Amino acid sequence: MPQDSSAPPPPPAPGPPPVPSISETQAEDLIHGICFKTGPPRLIGAELEWLVLDAERPEQPLPPERLRAAHAAARALPLHARVTVEPGGQLELSSAPATSLSSCVDDLQADLTAVRATLLAQGLVLRGLGRDPRRPYRRLLSSPRYDAMEAYFDRTGPAGRAMMCASASVQVCVDAGHEEPGVLGHGRRWRLAHLLGAVLVAAFANSPAHEGPYAGWRCARQGIWSDLDTRRALAPPLDAEPRTAWARQALDTEVMCVRSYEDDGPWETPPGTTFRDWLRTGGHPALRPPTVEDLDYHLTTLFPPVRPRGHLELRMIDAQSGDDGWLVPVAVVHALFDDPEATETAYRVAKGLADSYGGHPAPRNPLWRSAARHGLADPELRASAKACFRAAVEALPRLGASAHVRDTVGAFTERYVLRGRCPADDASTQVLTGKEVRR
């Protein structure tokens, strides 16, 4: 669940690999064992990414020293959530796994109140936008992982730097579900997450672009993820058994970096080497044999829209504006996945979207592309969102949601979903100072 889902494993200690190398069969078995931990759905979590801006001059990039001071101040607070920093200085709060929506939301609200007050004392604010409109991109963090990641993504264009330094999201984590088929079975939840993912992209689109390769898109952040590389950010085929499909996807994706066991060794990898290639050769001529730790690390460099980490991590939702905008996707996803009645409605909606999803993986299929470009202006997605949000609103009292959560979700549904709009349609979405930011 979220406390561990986004942080990469620590760098290896100097010296020889801590465990023996692994075979291809062993790697497949390990992925099968860790990607879907099945059982009754009972936990929920969230990861909230925020842009950190100057309160008086939000359109101006912050000096690195101010960002670092802000991060240090947030980390020093006694919070429920885990505080991490993204490469461009985005601040992330990752909740602990919670046994109820109320517990998850209450803890995150308390943490955000504390963080906001601390940052405001430094003249800073948190802003929820899926894509930072400021240019140029500036990477704050320097580490072997991020140096290798940047070098890897630079081979295919600017999308990698944009993802690292200028994107922010609300990631919602739900349990994988039962092993057995049924309304809460893991196979059905896996399929539901990918088909409804486009509805979530459209309803919560909050990264509009007015120029560049994604000009006119409501969710330019999805365009960035789609353009990262040929495979790393793609969903596996939905017509295959989930564990098998994900294991194949993971092993057939190019290795981004190989951690060095020397203090100052490089982390670069020969271009075009998949993890399966590495396993089959027992070590590329330029690489040592792969270990279990290498496989674990490789899995942290895969960025599909739904990532199986034992639980399901839904990664397609833009960061949301306002003090409480973030709680709407958390509550809606929880309702649609964990309330049996709402889940039945969501699954009927999902089945109706299957043809539009087509044979290409998300986010490179017609359904997801339309969600990113048009938001809820797409008639099919608008009708689906209305059905799903109504089901979620009806489910929230059954799930014990507070009046504040119910009212916030209801207000979002009325303001956006029922009117066929998304946050990106607000004239103020890309406003950092009261005027549209242009570069």
Side-chain angles (χ1 to χ4, degrees), residues 128-159:
L129 285 174
R131 174 175 173 264
D132 192 339
R134 297 172 298 177
R135 299 291 186 276
Y137 301 133
R138 290 183 169 91
R139 181 158 64 94
L140 177 71
L141 301 185
S142 180
S143 69
R145 174 184 172 90
Y146 292 129
D147 292 346
M149 183 181 290
E150 184 176 274
Y152 173 88
F153 283 132
D154 281 351
R155 300 174 195 164
T156 53

Side-chain angles (χ1 to χ4, degrees), residues 24 68 79 150 162 166 174 198 225 241 244 247 260 265 294 315 329 431:
E24 186 175 349
R68 292 190 180 100
L79 305 177
E150 184 176 274
V174 295
W225 285 100
E241 192 278 325
T244 300
S260 173
D294 291 321
R315 304 171 50 84
V431 173

Side-chain angles (χ1 to χ4, degrees), residues 189 208 216 393:
R189 286 162 73 88
V393 168

Side-chain angles (χ1 to χ4, degrees), residues 50-70:
W50 302 90
L51 307 181
V52 182
L53 307 177
D54 186 281
E56 298 296 327
R57 297 174 296 277
E59 80 282 3
Q60 296 296 321
L62 286 175
E65 57 272 16
R66 287 194 72 190
L67 275 172
R68 292 190 180 100

Side-chain angles (χ1 to χ4, degrees), residues 1 21 28 48 55 92 115 158 171 173 185 191 195 242 248 251 260 273 275 285 289 306 367 372 380 409-410 422:
M1 272 284 177
S21 60
E28 290 173 343
L48 313 178
E92 179 178 81
V115 171
Q171 298 175 20
C173 300
R191 185 173 180 81
L195 294 174
R248 184 182 301 122
L251 296 184
S260 173
T273 302
F275 204 92
V306 182
L367 183 67
E380 186 177 22
V409 174
C422 61

